Amino acid sequence: MSKNLTTREEDYSKWYNELVVKADLAENSGVRGCMVIKPYGYAIWEKMQAELDRMFKETGHQNAYFPLFVPKSMFEAEEKNAEGFAKECAIVTHYRLKNDPDRPGKLMVDPNAKLEEELIVRPTSEAIIWSTYKGWVQSYRDLPLLINQWANVVRWEMRTRFFLRTAEFLWQEGHTAHATKAEAIQESEQMMHVYADFAENFMAIPVIKGLKTETERFAGADETYCIEALMQDGKALQAGTSHFLGQNFAKAFDVKFANAEGKQEHVWGTSWGVSTRLMGALVMTHSDDKGLVLPPNLAPIQIVIVPIYKTEEEFAAISDAAHTLVAQFKKLKLSVKFDDRTTQKPGFKFAEWELKGVPVRIAIGPKDLENGTFEVARRDTLTKEVILKDGIVNYVNELLEQIQTDLFNKALDYRNTHITEVSNFEEFKDILEHKTGFISAHWDGTAETEEKIKDLTKATIRCIPLDRVEESGSCVLTGKPSVGRVLFAKAY
Amino acid sequence: MSKNLTTREEDYSKWYNELVVKADLAENSGVRGCMVIKPYGYAIWEKMQAELDRMFKETGHQNAYFPLFVPKSMFEAEEKNAEGFAKECAIVTHYRLKNDPDRPGKLMVDPNAKLEEELIVRPTSEAIIWSTYKGWVQSYRDLPLLINQWANVVRWEMRTRFFLRTAEFLWQEGHTAHATKAEAIQESEQMMHVYADFAENFMAIPVIKGLKTETERFAGADETYCIEALMQDGKALQAGTSHFLGQNFAKAFDVKFANAEGKQEHVWGTSWGVSTRLMGALVMTHSDDKGLVLPPNLAPIQIVIVPIYKTEEEFAAISDAAHTLVAQFKKLKLSVKFDDRTTQKPGFKFAEWELKGVPVRIAIGPKDLENGTFEVARRDTLTKEVILKDGIVNYVNELLEQIQTDLFNKALDYRNTHITEVSNFEEFKDILEHKTGFISAHWDGTAETEEKIKDLTKATIRCIPLDRVEESGSCVLTGKPSVGRVLFAKAY
């Protein structure tokens, strides 16, 4: 099955696209820039959703649902936000089709069904949500509002790529309102930490927490916090963002509250989101030339059992042993599949489950039954061990935890060896050309220099790391003074 | 709080709209025909989703996600389906806004960003999904496809009403493909039974299972199964539908498979859905003039504890007892809230939780602590009992089950006493005028008569019940022969 997969070495981008399709994660649809998320891919997304949703609720947030459409006048109320999304939005202008007199049986847009005001399909929901919050907030007692929404959004991207950039994508967007600036900043930071925790401890993807530069900031935000991951080709990927919105949306939508002294003040806001883009990060962080490698936390199937037999009798005996194992794993809430298809050979099954990234494979043959052993294979290391039947359930349970940890450490090791400090622009360009990864460099703090470096190298400032050391230095391009290093990289 | 709620007697429709808003389920948005589902309402919807999702997976279905947009040429491929939805769909024609030269800071649709082909915002996803299935099915081994999608859809309704009819709504839509007609019919029937099971045993809403007449059938289906509920004002509400699609979509999108003999055949299809409309059914089935009445299965808060005190010391002692109770309930996975707000009086709290439909309220005062008792009030019957402290946790746990059962039986009793058999058109009209509910009557089987009765009375055929008795009779309007009774009603 996997024999046709392009290797990462040959063409990383092609490898990724092929893998997404062959592993049944997603496929292109007949709609420009939109993909179909297939059941296997969606099952992984559901696991992400469930865990994130749990984390949001644990931090006091509630879910709600706001309209898909934003009337144009509402959309343009916060000017910076509107400007940031105006160039890539889907616009509904009509509400009815009619029979096309020139093409029997076919339809045309009914020109008499033009909307008085155009509707924008939400690219993000600040506008619609803040126009609603106006009615929800009168006094400080109504604050904070801690709301999350699971939704689809549309951004009319010209160049799309599975999961990483699609015209429509699925995400969650948190939108909160607070009485004080400090509380709103604390909320934006908290959610960045929640995202980092989720990425590292659930997805096994190490991330760097930081602040975006003004250029890279969310349109309409005063500050954007982010988590940045590093893919295996040395390109960075923004995995989640959390925005401190200041009073920008409160002012645009006139959301005020009476403080404890009865004085009217504008509310302070945040918004934060992660999307199906995380699916791309997952694939690009862990997978290899044989296919997907899934951390056990996210694997729809954690264990697959493959029988190896020649005769019906052998198959019957192996099936008995397999069913016993399945029952034992299910008791531990592990997700297990006994691949008892008679239409496929073991080699085919091995390749298929490797392609699909099942973390642990157990093979059972007649010899194993005689010896009271099973062959246990790890997907991540492609190694096998023969394990005594008696302790196998605990062994596999612990192995799954080990794999989860190992995947994180492996990715962390890769990431850490791909952060290079440079002191001049020659080194900067050299790293980009040969080693890639994050480049830690001094920058003079101007948008102009940032832009120039981007033009010259395609590298952008991924973030100003939150834990950076204050040190004086000189900008890698202009030599002007700098107070600390920032991280550059080429990025998805 | 609830003192301002219009009574059902005064104006049922006004009562419903007020209740939805005052109980924090939903509110109107600034987008025509679209509502905001507020956190309390959404929490109820989440409980419905979780249970339905569990039931779908238990019957072998997997979730996936398909695009929001349907290109016009794809939309019109299945002609009957297209015709059925063409008159009420939102159409995307452009993909960019630009600065409006006449209104500084404002935006206009960029006429240079017109799409080559218009995109329809999905009113339902048969077209996009069957165009995808074409690539998924080659042989009988690829069947059945058992897929569900949780999504938003848009139907440009002119007259909208909270939950029951909104331009955008949330739903799930199952789409399955089968090798044989019998298997597809079995699937559509199975899902109707799943919906009925969910409505009755989870939502405590009794339903009648039946078939739609050709007039009321889903556009593009060969047969539509439905579950029909009866609201407290005597109007029927279609709570869920399951369609046998025959080979209509398979033919429109050329979805064929090679059967076991290698012969090419068209696939057989089904689709089935329930939506946030169920929220409306929930409110209208159980609630009363004091507010919501929620079945314990669906209540975001199942138990509320209200302290009654004068002094700080009393409050401290009551809080201790309440916290102990809360911990005990949580162990049983019951959802409980201790309303320790010091800003509101008990009377206000009682009214608020009555309005919000919390099934059980426990009041604790200083006397209770002395006596080792608590006052337990039921929301559904508005009755109270004094319960000894020691057995209270089990008592309340069993009481919640009792309430769930009682709500169903009460609604069932109402429904059963509101099905009236009539034998002539005078009786038919008389029932509609005075008693309302379902009218069981003979019908000659023609769309013409169905239409005429609708014109004369506004009553439609809700369904041909699956369990109807075959009996010869004469049509209530035309006197022509009939083979059995059907159910008429005015409906939402």
Side-chain angles (χ1 to χ4, degrees):
Chain A
M1 288 217 54
S2 67
K3 67 178 184 289
N4 295 324
L5 196 59
T6 299
T7 66
R8 289 164 293 173
E9 186 74 28
E10 283 176 282
D11 186 336
Y12 192 82
S13 177
K14 204 173 161 201
W15 164 80
Y16 174 76
N17 287 332
E18 279 183 16
L19 179 51
V20 165
V21 173
K22 284 176 188 260
D24 276 340
L25 299 181
E27 67 180 39
N28 280 315
S29 76
V31 190
R32 204 204 67 87
C34 296
M35 63 180 180
V36 171
I37 305 180
K38 298 183 77 173
Y40 194 65
Y42 200 83
I44 299 172
W45 175 241
E46 279 182 307
K47 283 178 183 277
M48 294 189 197
Q49 284 189 301
E51 177 66 7
L52 285 166
D53 200 68
R54 193 193 62 71
M55 294 175 92
F56 299 155
K57 282 172 179 161
E58 208 173 78
T59 43
H61 302 88
Q62 291 181 297
N63 290 328
Y65 189 77
F66 297 85
L68 170 69
F69 298 131
V70 189
K72 187 164 68 69
S73 57
M74 193 189 281
F75 182 80
E76 66 195 2
E78 209 295 319
E79 283 188 35
K80 277 191 186 165
N81 186 251
E83 201 189 302
F85 289 99
K87 291 191 189 74
E88 46 176 38
C89 59
I91 307 162
V92 175
T93 56
H94 291 75
Y95 59 86
R96 190 167 60 221
L97 293 167
K98 63 169 199 170
N99 292 322
D100 186 340
D102 298 334
R103 300 182 312 142
K106 302 296 176 186
L107 300 165
M108 60 179 281
V109 175
D110 185 342
N112 293 323
K114 196 169 185 301
L115 292 173
E116 276 180 44
E117 181 177 12
E118 296 89 352
L119 299 173
I120 316 303
V121 181
R122 62 182 166 215
T124 181
S125 300
E126 279 77 8
I128 182 81
I129 288 180
W130 281 89
S131 80
T132 308
Y133 280 0
K134 183 175 166 53
W136 291 5
V137 178
Q138 275 86 44
S139 123
Y140 68 97
R141 288 189 206 87
D142 301 322
L143 296 171
L145 290 175
L146 303 172
I147 308 272
N148 177 61
Q149 165 171 278
W150 291 96
N152 53 345
V153 287
V154 171
R155 297 178 185 175
W156 208 259
E157 305 278 358
M158 278 304 153
R159 295 188 56 187
T160 60
R161 192 196 293 256
F162 287 129
F163 294 115
L164 301 179
R165 206 173 287 279
T166 47
E168 181 193 9
F169 59 89
L170 302 182
W171 79 344
Q172 62 66 218
E173 44 181 329
H175 296 271
T176 72
H178 307 264
T180 68
K181 181 177 177 178
E183 197 184 298
I185 290 177
Q186 195 183 25
E187 166 80 7
S188 0
E189 289 179 353
Q190 172 186 249
M191 298 322 290
M192 170 197 61
H193 292 305
V194 164
Y195 288 153
D197 181 7
F198 173 76
E200 300 201 327
N201 298 315
F202 201 75
M203 298 185 66
I205 299 177
V207 294
I208 291 167
K209 300 175 197 174
L211 275 171
K212 287 287 178 190
T213 61
E214 198 178 340
T215 315
E216 299 279 333
R217 209 175 270 162
F218 177 73
D222 279 0
E223 205 71 272
T224 289
Y225 298 85
C226 62
I227 56 170
E228 294 284 325
L230 192 64
M231 304 298 98
Q232 292 178 62
D233 62 345
K235 275 178 145 177
L237 185 145
Q238 174 182 300
T241 49
S242 179
H243 316 294
F244 167 60
L245 302 175
Q247 296 176 311
N248 302 335
F249 286 90
K251 284 178 180 165
F253 291 97
D254 193 31
V255 185
K256 287 181 188 164
F257 71 102
N259 66 18
E261 288 80 43
K263 222 188 104 198
Q264 292 285 314
E265 290 184 43
H266 280 110
V267 165
W268 298 85
T270 86
S271 66
W272 30 275
V274 295
S275 72
T276 34
R277 178 161 240 249
L278 286 175
M279 293 285 298
L282 179 73
V283 174
M284 285 203 181
T285 300
H286 301 303
S287 300
D288 63 23
D289 296 342
K290 292 207 174 271
L292 283 184
V293 174
L294 294 176
N297 282 345
L298 286 167
I301 302 167
Q302 295 171 307
I303 305 155
V304 66
I305 303 172
V306 178
I308 297 167
Y309 59 93
K310 292 215 177 77
T311 68
E312 289 282 330
E313 290 70 36
E314 284 172 2
F315 181 58
I318 292 167
S319 292
D320 279 353
H323 287 303
T324 307
L325 258 189
V326 166
Q328 287 173 305
F329 285 132
K330 283 197 173 160
K331 259 194 197 155
L332 296 178
K333 307 259 178 217
L334 297 176
S335 156
V336 54
K337 184 183 177 72
F338 174 39
D339 184 356
D340 59 358
R341 286 176 293 175
T342 51
T343 47
Q344 307 293 357
K345 298 203 165 143
F348 179 94
K349 293 179 183 178
F350 282 20
E352 178 172 348
W353 299 119
E354 271 173 11
L355 178 63
K356 291 202 156 187
V358 175
V360 169
R361 181 188 71 218
I362 298 174
I364 316 181
K367 273 268 164 60
D368 295 304
L369 292 189
E370 269 173 42
N371 302 338
T373 57
F374 296 121
E375 184 192 270
V376 178
R378 278 175 74 150
R379 173 63 187 88
D380 60 333
T381 54
L382 296 169
T383 52
K384 299 177 203 171
E385 277 192 275
V386 173
I387 304 296
L388 276 175
K389 189 180 147 192
D390 284 347
I392 192 163
V393 176
N394 282 336
Y395 176 84
V396 169
N397 197 20
E398 281 164 24
L399 182 60
L400 288 169
E401 282 176 37
Q402 191 62 49
I403 292 171
Q404 182 79 27
T405 309
D406 288 357
L407 283 175
F408 176 73
N409 287 332
K410 187 181 170 194
L412 182 65
D413 188 52
Y414 174 81
R415 201 275 309 277
N416 286 345
T417 54
H418 285 79
I419 304 179
T420 313
E421 288 201 358
V422 303
S423 49
N424 61 55
F425 204 57
E426 285 313 304
E427 278 175 42
F428 190 107
K429 286 186 291 184
D430 188 60
I431 295 294
L432 272 186
E433 211 161 307
H434 299 106
K435 193 180 176 192
T436 69
F438 287 117
I439 299 174
S440 176
H442 279 286
W443 162 58
D444 64 18
T446 67
E448 204 189 329
T449 302
E450 192 180 359
E451 184 69 23
K452 216 165 195 172
I453 293 176
K454 187 179 174 185
D455 286 347
L456 291 168
T457 66
K458 290 187 183 158
T460 51
I461 299 179
R462 300 318 305 152
C463 71
I464 304 160
L466 288 194
D467 62 358
R468 78 162 172 180
V469 182
E470 300 275 316
E471 60 170 35
S472 55
S474 26
C475 175
V476 74
L477 186 73
T478 63
K480 288 183 188 161
S482 146
V483 295
R485 292 172 180 273
V486 298
L487 291 182
F488 288 86
K490 289 188 190 169
Y492 281 101
Chain B
M1 294 219 49
S2 68
K3 67 179 185 289
N4 296 322
L5 195 61
T6 299
T7 66
R8 290 164 292 176
E9 184 75 29
E10 282 174 283
D11 185 336
Y12 192 81
S13 179
K14 205 172 159 199
W15 164 81
Y16 173 76
N17 286 332
E18 280 183 18
L19 179 50
V20 165
V21 172
K22 282 175 188 266
D24 276 340
L25 300 181
E27 65 180 40
N28 281 315
S29 77
V31 191
R32 203 204 66 87
C34 296
M35 64 180 179
V36 171
I37 305 180
K38 299 183 76 174
Y40 194 67
Y42 200 83
I44 299 172
W45 175 240
E46 280 182 305
K47 283 178 182 277
M48 293 188 197
Q49 284 188 301
E51 178 67 8
L52 284 167
D53 200 67
R54 193 192 62 72
M55 293 173 92
F56 298 156
K57 284 173 178 160
E58 209 173 77
T59 42
H61 303 87
Q62 291 181 296
N63 289 328
Y65 190 76
F66 298 85
L68 170 69
F69 298 131
V70 189
K72 188 164 68 68
S73 57
M74 195 188 280
F75 182 82
E76 66 194 2
E78 210 294 321
E79 284 189 33
K80 277 191 184 164
N81 186 252
E83 199 189 304
F85 289 99
K87 291 193 188 71
E88 45 175 37
C89 59
I91 306 162
V92 175
T93 56
H94 291 75
Y95 60 86
R96 190 165 63 219
L97 293 167
K98 62 171 199 168
N99 292 322
D100 186 339
D102 298 335
R103 302 181 311 140
K106 302 294 177 188
L107 300 165
M108 60 179 281
V109 174
D110 185 343
N112 294 322
K114 196 170 184 303
L115 292 172
E116 274 179 46
E117 180 176 11
E118 296 90 351
L119 299 173
I120 315 306
V121 182
R122 63 182 164 215
T124 180
S125 300
E126 278 76 8
I128 182 80
I129 289 180
W130 280 88
S131 80
T132 308
Y133 280 0
K134 181 173 168 54
W136 292 6
V137 179
Q138 274 88 43
S139 122
Y140 70 96
R141 289 189 206 89
D142 301 322
L143 297 171
L145 289 175
L146 303 172
I147 308 273
N148 177 60
Q149 164 171 277
W150 290 96
N152 53 345
V153 286
V154 171
R155 298 178 185 176
W156 208 259
E157 304 278 359
M158 279 303 155
R159 296 188 54 188
T160 60
R161 191 195 293 255
F162 287 128
F163 294 113
L164 302 179
R165 208 173 285 279
T166 49
E168 181 193 6
F169 59 88
L170 303 183
W171 79 346
Q172 61 67 219
E173 43 182 328
H175 297 270
T176 70
H178 305 264
T180 66
K181 180 176 179 180
E183 196 186 299
I185 290 177
Q186 193 183 24
E187 166 79 8
S188 4
E189 289 179 354
Q190 171 186 248
M191 298 322 290
M192 171 197 61
H193 292 305
V194 165
Y195 288 153
D197 180 7
F198 173 77
E200 300 201 329
N201 298 317
F202 201 76
M203 299 185 65
I205 299 177
V207 294
I208 290 168
K209 299 175 198 174
L211 275 170
K212 288 286 179 192
T213 61
E214 197 178 340
T215 314
E216 299 278 333
R217 209 174 273 161
F218 177 74
D222 279 0
E223 204 71 271
T224 288
Y225 296 86
C226 63
I227 56 170
E228 295 283 325
L230 192 65
M231 304 298 99
Q232 292 179 61
D233 61 346
K235 274 178 147 173
L237 185 144
Q238 174 181 301
T241 48
S242 180
H243 316 295
F244 167 60
L245 302 175
Q247 296 175 310
N248 302 334
F249 286 88
K251 285 178 180 165
F253 291 95
D254 193 31
V255 186
K256 287 181 187 164
F257 70 102
N259 67 17
E261 289 79 42
K263 222 187 104 199
Q264 291 286 311
E265 290 185 42
H266 280 110
V267 164
W268 298 85
T270 86
S271 66
W272 29 275
V274 296
S275 72
T276 36
R277 177 161 240 247
L278 286 175
M279 292 285 297
L282 179 74
V283 174
M284 286 202 179
T285 301
H286 302 302
S287 300
D288 64 23
D289 296 342
K290 292 203 175 276
L292 283 185
V293 174
L294 294 176
N297 282 344
L298 285 167
I301 302 167
Q302 295 171 307
I303 306 154
V304 65
I305 303 173
V306 178
I308 297 167
Y309 61 94
K310 292 215 178 75
T311 69
E312 289 281 330
E313 289 71 35
E314 284 173 3
F315 181 57
I318 292 167
S319 292
D320 279 351
H323 288 301
T324 305
L325 258 189
V326 165
Q328 288 172 306
F329 285 131
K330 282 194 174 162
K331 260 195 199 156
L332 296 179
K333 308 259 178 213
L334 297 175
S335 155
V336 54
K337 185 187 175 73
F338 174 39
D339 185 355
D340 58 357
R341 285 176 294 175
T342 53
T343 46
Q344 307 292 0
K345 297 202 166 146
F348 178 94
K349 293 179 182 177
F350 282 21
E352 180 173 347
W353 298 119
E354 271 172 14
L355 178 61
K356 291 202 155 186
V358 176
V360 169
R361 181 186 73 220
I362 299 175
I364 316 180
K367 273 268 163 62
D368 294 304
L369 292 189
E370 269 174 44
N371 300 339
T373 58
F374 297 119
E375 184 192 271
V376 178
R378 279 175 72 149
R379 173 62 186 89
D380 61 331
T381 54
L382 296 168
T383 52
K384 297 177 206 171
E385 277 193 276
V386 173
I387 304 297
L388 277 175
K389 188 180 146 191
D390 284 345
I392 191 163
V393 175
N394 281 336
Y395 176 84
V396 169
N397 197 20
E398 281 164 23
L399 181 59
L400 288 168
E401 282 175 36
Q402 191 62 48
I403 292 171
Q404 182 78 29
T405 309
D406 288 357
L407 283 176
F408 176 74
N409 286 331
K410 187 180 169 194
L412 182 65
D413 188 54
Y414 173 82
R415 200 277 310 275
N416 286 345
T417 54
H418 285 79
I419 303 179
T420 315
E421 288 201 356
V422 303
S423 49
N424 60 56
F425 204 59
E426 285 315 302
E427 279 175 38
F428 190 107
K429 287 186 291 184
D430 188 60
I431 294 294
L432 273 185
E433 211 162 309
H434 299 105
K435 193 181 176 192
T436 70
F438 288 115
I439 298 173
S440 176
H442 280 285
W443 162 60
D444 63 19
T446 69
E448 202 189 333
T449 300
E450 193 180 0
E451 185 68 24
K452 214 164 193 173
I453 292 177
K454 188 180 174 184
D455 285 347
L456 291 168
T457 65
K458 290 188 182 155
T460 50
I461 300 179
R462 301 318 304 153
C463 71
I464 305 160
L466 287 194
D467 62 355
R468 79 163 173 181
V469 182
E470 300 275 316
E471 61 170 35
S472 54
S474 27
C475 175
V476 75
L477 186 74
T478 63
K480 289 183 188 157
S482 147
V483 294
R485 290 171 182 275
V486 298
L487 290 182
F488 288 86
K490 288 187 189 168
Y492 282 100

